[in-house]
């Protein structure tokens, strides 16, 4: 009987693993091989150059400029998104006071969940095009709103100013991700016994104290997973940047994913682009492992 179950499991696993190996693992391995060549992607001819592509990365100002932007995204995107996600989820789940007995969310919680989650039903392409038009200097909704409320002096070409274009794109990244984590953290909060929040409420704790001292420690495992996922998004950032600004103006919004894409398909340097990809593979892996080790703490039981 046990042998039959094992054969049944293998029958279904082998095709899936084979497809995964061919279409996922194999391209990853090929990237390591291509990174050691000068292949231009348009010809079967190539020469082995060893570590030359990686040495060139050390003096490539465009690579370091893009990496600097990814580092800023890594420092800001996870922190801002998780902080806002926790705050909104806490308000929608346990933030209501008065009017009703027990612990509950603020009035209209169900509607707000839909509003926050709405960006998740839109594709990245739609989000990018939508915000590109909203940031338009003439006729864009952002500048139109500022002028309508008497703040016309703040209106500017958001995506044409090198000093603010990067931060405008970063805002879109935060906006497009917060809703998912509001739902994720809200679902995790439902597993926390209501008695804990009721006891804290009776003790007169503020909302901030409840969030920081109760919710965050009990949701730490979920927060860890959220941070790793957002860190990967921050170290990529290709889709939104490519759609909204394509790295401009003056490379002020360039990121590693876009630098890799342009190096391969615009400059026809597939070997060098693969070296960029391999470097980012190890950077992403190192960041994820480092965070998981530094944030490790004893699991709380309730």
């Amino acid at each position: 009987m046990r042998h039959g179950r094992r054969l049944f499991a293998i029958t279904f696993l082998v095709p899936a693993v084979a497809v995964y190996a061919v279409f996922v693992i194999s391209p990853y391995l090929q990237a390591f091989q291509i990174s050691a060549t000068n292949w231009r992607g348009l010809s079967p001819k190539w020469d082995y150059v060893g570590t030359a592509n990686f040495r060139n990365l050390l003096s490539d100002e465009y690579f370091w400029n893009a990496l600097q932007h990814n580092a800023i995204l890594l420092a800001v995107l996870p922190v801002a998104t998780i902080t806002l996600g926790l705050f909104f989820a806490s308000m929608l789940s346990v933030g209501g006071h008065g009017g009703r007995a027990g612990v509950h969310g603020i009035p209209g919680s169900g509607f707000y969940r839909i509003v926050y989650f709405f960006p998740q039903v839109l594709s990245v392409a739609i989000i990018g095009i939508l915000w590109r038009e909203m940031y338009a200097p003439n006729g864009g909704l952002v500048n139109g709103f500022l002028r309508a409320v008497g703040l016309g002096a703040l209106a500017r070409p958001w995506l044409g100013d090198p000093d603010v274009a990067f931060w405008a794109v970063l805002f879109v990244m935060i906006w497009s991700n917060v809703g998912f984590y509001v739902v994720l953290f809200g679902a995790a909060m439902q597993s926390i016994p209501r008695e804990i929040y009721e006891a804290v409420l009776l003790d007169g704790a503020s909302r901030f104290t409840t969030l920081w001292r109760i919710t965050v420690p009990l949701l730490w495992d979920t927060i860890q997973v959220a941070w790793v996922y957002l860190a990967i998004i921050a170290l990529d950032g290709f889709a939104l940047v490519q759609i909204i600004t394509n790295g401009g103006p003056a490379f002020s919004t360039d990121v590693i994913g876009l630098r890799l894409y342009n190096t391969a398909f615009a400059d026809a340097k597939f070997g060098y682009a693969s070296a960029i990809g391999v470097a980012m593979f190890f950077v992403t892996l190192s960041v994820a492992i480092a965070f998981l080790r530094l944030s490790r703490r004893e699991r709380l039981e309730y």
Side-chain angles (χ1 to χ4, degrees):
M1 187 68 177
R2 183 178 301 173
H3 177 73
R5 282 197 301 240
R6 185 178 303 169
L7 180 62
F8 179 79
I10 292 175
T11 302
F12 282 92
L13 283 175
V14 168
V17 172
V19 171
Y20 185 82
V22 170
F23 292 102
V24 179
I25 298 178
S26 176
Y28 273 110
L29 296 178
Q30 290 180 47
F32 282 84
Q33 176 187 358
I34 296 171
S35 67
T37 71
N38 63 354
W39 185 46
R40 300 187 64 84
L42 302 176
S43 168
K45 298 180 181 180
W46 54 269
D47 296 317
Y48 178 77
V49 297
T51 60
N53 287 329
F54 295 97
R55 291 198 301 270
N56 291 338
L57 284 179
L58 299 177
S59 57
D60 187 343
E61 60 179 340
Y62 295 106
F63 171 78
W64 288 105
N65 173 65
L67 185 61
Q68 180 182 3
H69 293 149
N70 280 106
I72 297 174
L73 290 177
L74 180 61
V76 178
L77 179 63
V79 174
T81 304
I82 290 174
T83 300
L84 290 173
L86 282 170
F87 173 75
F88 290 137
S90 178
M91 291 296 99
L92 297 180
S93 299
V94 297
H97 288 326
R100 289 163 53 190
V103 176
H104 53 84
I106 61 175
S109 297
F111 172 76
Y112 290 127
R113 284 191 177 93
I114 295 174
V115 172
Y116 292 139
F117 191 75
F118 180 73
Q120 300 302 311
V121 306
L122 302 177
S123 70
V124 175
I126 292 177
I127 292 174
I129 295 172
L130 173 68
W131 278 95
R132 187 177 65 194
E133 296 303 318
M134 290 176 64
Y135 280 134
N138 298 315
L141 185 60
V142 175
N143 283 343
F145 173 78
L146 290 174
R147 294 187 181 106
V149 298
L151 298 176
L154 298 179
R156 63 186 64 201
W158 298 96
L159 302 180
D161 186 344
D163 293 330
V164 299
F166 175 79
W167 302 105
V169 175
L170 174 57
F171 175 82
V172 178
M173 289 185 177
I174 295 173
W175 175 85
S176 63
N177 283 286
V178 163
F180 175 80
Y181 293 98
V182 170
V183 175
L184 177 67
F185 294 142
M189 289 178 191
Q190 298 305 314
S191 65
I192 300 176
R194 301 288 96 177
E195 292 81 4
I196 296 178
Y197 285 114
E198 290 173 356
V200 173
L201 183 62
L202 290 174
D203 287 339
S206 65
R207 289 177 176 177
F208 175 78
T209 301
T210 302
L211 176 63
W212 181 250
R213 297 293 185 181
I214 303 298
T215 304
V216 170
L218 294 178
L219 297 187
W220 189 250
D221 290 344
T222 305
I223 293 172
Q224 277 186 312
V225 174
W227 194 96
V228 172
Y229 184 69
L230 285 165
I232 294 173
I233 294 176
L235 291 172
D236 175 22
F238 165 76
L240 279 176
V241 172
Q242 199 272 340
I243 295 169
I244 298 177
T245 64
N246 198 29
F251 300 99
S252 62
T253 61
D254 200 13
V255 290
I256 291 296
L258 185 60
R259 177 87 340 243
L260 187 158
Y261 177 85
N262 288 334
T263 300
F265 295 101
D267 302 335
K269 297 180 180 179
F270 276 73
Y272 190 58
S274 296
I276 295 176
V278 170
M280 285 311 298
F281 168 79
F282 286 109
V283 169
T284 304
L285 185 63
S286 300
V287 167
I289 292 175
F291 175 79
L292 289 175
R293 288 186 176 275
L294 292 174
S295 63
R296 183 182 300 169
R297 61 170 63 180
E298 184 178 352
R299 184 183 179 87
L300 297 177
E301 299 292 341
Y302 51 86

